Amino acid sequence: MDIKSELHKTSGFGNLELLARQVVEGFISGMHKSPFHGFSAEFAEHKIYNPGESTKHIDWKLYAKTDRLYTKRYEEETNLRCHLIVDNSSSMHYPAVKEPSITELNKISFSALASAAIMNLMKKQRDAVGMSIYSDTYDFYTGEKGSDRHHHMLLDQLNGIINTTRSHKEQPKGTDTYKHLHLIAEKLKRRSLVFLFSDMLQDDVEQEQLFEALQHLKYNKHEVILFHTYSKEKEYNFDFDNSPKKFVDVESGASINLYADSIRDIYKSSVETYFKTLQIKCAQYRIKYIPAIIENGFSPILTTFLVERQKFL
């Protein structure tokens, strides 16, 4: 799947312009300041109006005082600095799909397309975006920029993580989320809007470290939004038939043979407890928690972006 082509298709999620317009019209219509008003500009100076120029920026108040026409000149500036963080561990490549598409997504392709959609909206606003990708290593980092070249480079990185083939012969990639969130927090020196796409799956002994890392991201007054990415059908509801199956941990390689019905109730109880704990911790650290359920589509992601962007400015 190529993100660049997907974003410009005329149907489904590919028609990002139509989807974004629907989200904006449904949510932003009552707001005083629309995030689609155009890029931010800071007043620089007045200059004498020359006949034939646009009258859009004439300072009519100054004209009333001086009886002369002056226009305002502006300095373009970036509205927003945003940093996208994508978990690329082996568990994010679940469920296994032969060819990711709009109608068949796993967690990593969902996260990559959602990130690309946010980037597309930011590009329209001339905002600056940076990105981090991690697994058991810190795979990629770049600071916030707003150029076309930078935008295409980020799309290439997202394409790379989608198209990586994960076969049983490959070395599984674990999730050192807490370690790499600390590293990212140290790199982000200027106040930014931070979006984290992760399934937040860690060993029990690492959960407290994970919460400490989330708290570290709040350093320097960053606004942090966690898009908790998971499959509700498989990972939350444990929706498997009751034939004997071998369940394999894609990160550790550990496996267990069982019937789904024999463990479903215990499994769901444990998952619900962990998800609830995660939400409570995020609330304590003033991190916005958003369930990014891959079966539910992209509207919750884009809506959250528009809302948080409006609040951040």
Side-chain angles (χ1 to χ4, degrees):
M1 177 175 62
D2 188 282
I3 291 175
K4 294 177 186 177
S5 63
E6 289 289 345
L7 288 175
H8 292 89
K9 285 182 179 177
T10 57
S11 62
F13 176 68
N15 193 338
L16 183 60
E17 183 178 2
L18 175 60
L19 178 59
R21 187 184 306 124
Q22 291 173 341
V23 173
V24 171
E25 290 176 356
F27 191 87
I28 305 297
S29 59
M31 288 190 174
H32 175 67
K33 181 182 178 184
S34 167
F36 281 82
H37 63 86
F39 59 88
S40 159
E42 183 178 356
F43 174 72
E45 61 181 356
H46 284 101
K47 75 177 188 71
I48 296 176
Y49 171 77
N50 294 314
E53 291 181 349
S54 171
T55 59
K56 180 178 180 180
H57 297 299
I58 289 178
D59 190 333
W60 295 107
K61 290 184 179 180
L62 187 60
Y63 171 74
K65 295 178 181 178
T66 65
D67 202 30
R68 298 187 66 179
L69 291 174
Y70 291 90
T71 58
K72 295 180 180 180
R73 297 184 64 183
Y74 295 86
E75 294 178 351
E76 296 179 11
E77 64 175 12
T78 297
N79 284 335
L80 176 71
R81 300 175 67 85
C82 175
H83 198 84
L84 297 167
I85 306 173
V86 181
D87 177 356
N88 188 34
S89 58
S90 293
S91 66
M92 287 290 287
H93 290 254
Y94 180 84
V97 293
K98 291 184 178 179
E99 183 63 32
S101 66
I102 299 299
T103 57
E104 190 174 9
L105 295 167
N106 55 15
K107 290 183 287 186
I108 195 64
S109 54
F110 178 92
S111 300
L113 271 174
S115 296
I118 291 174
M119 286 166 46
N120 190 273
L121 292 177
M122 294 186 69
K123 185 179 180 182
K124 294 178 184 296
Q125 297 298 294
R126 303 190 185 184
D127 293 332
V129 60
M131 184 179 291
S132 290
I133 301 172
Y134 71 88
S135 53
D136 52 356
T137 59
Y138 199 167
D139 301 328
F140 176 77
Y141 168 81
T142 184
E144 293 75 28
K145 297 180 182 179
S147 67
D148 287 343
R149 181 177 180 181
H150 184 75
H151 181 85
H152 291 304
M153 185 264 288
L154 296 185
L155 286 179
D156 287 340
Q157 289 293 327
L158 293 174
N159 275 319
I161 62 176
I162 289 178
N163 295 326
T164 298
T165 302
R166 299 219 178 267
S167 69
H168 66 279
K169 297 179 181 180
E170 279 194 302
Q171 184 69 26
K173 288 190 174 184
T175 314
D176 285 339
T177 298
Y178 69 93
K179 181 171 70 176
H180 294 108
L181 290 186
H182 280 303
L183 293 174
I184 295 167
E186 292 294 334
K187 287 180 175 290
L188 298 179
K189 302 299 183 183
R190 298 178 62 181
R191 183 171 179 259
S192 303
L193 190 58
V194 179
F195 293 104
L196 168 61
F197 289 88
S198 175
D199 55 17
M200 303 301 285
L201 296 178
Q202 297 278 189
D203 294 337
D204 291 341
V205 295
E206 297 174 341
Q207 286 182 13
E208 193 59 39
Q209 293 171 303
L210 176 59
F211 297 139
E212 291 174 0
L214 286 172
Q215 187 178 25
H216 191 185
L217 272 180
K218 289 292 292 183
Y219 189 65
N220 283 343
K221 299 182 180 179
H222 302 306
E223 292 298 324
V224 182
I225 295 89
L226 168 61
F227 287 123
H228 187 196
T229 312
Y230 62 92
S231 166
K232 188 167 186 179
E233 177 184 347
K234 299 298 184 184
E235 294 182 302
Y236 191 87
N237 293 333
F238 205 64
D239 188 10
F240 297 94
D241 63 58
N242 200 38
S243 59
K245 288 183 174 58
K246 181 178 182 179
F247 291 88
V248 180
D249 185 332
V250 294
E251 295 188 5
S252 70
S255 63
I256 184 172
N257 297 307
L258 51 80
Y259 290 88
D261 286 357
S262 66
I263 196 175
R264 182 176 291 109
D265 291 342
I266 297 174
Y267 173 89
K268 289 186 67 174
S269 177
S270 297
V271 168
E272 289 173 3
T273 299
Y274 175 62
F275 281 21
K276 182 75 71 175
T277 301
L278 186 59
Q279 292 180 56
I280 291 172
K281 289 291 186 180
C282 285
Q284 289 175 349
Y285 300 147
R286 302 185 70 181
I287 292 171
K288 193 174 187 67
Y289 174 92
I290 303 295
I293 301 169
I294 63 176
E295 292 90 353
N296 287 1
F298 298 92
S299 290
I301 309 299
L302 299 182
T303 301
T304 300
F305 167 73
L306 293 174
V307 173
E308 294 303 316
R309 184 184 186 278
Q310 181 74 18
K311 290 163 58 179
F312 191 81
L313 293 175

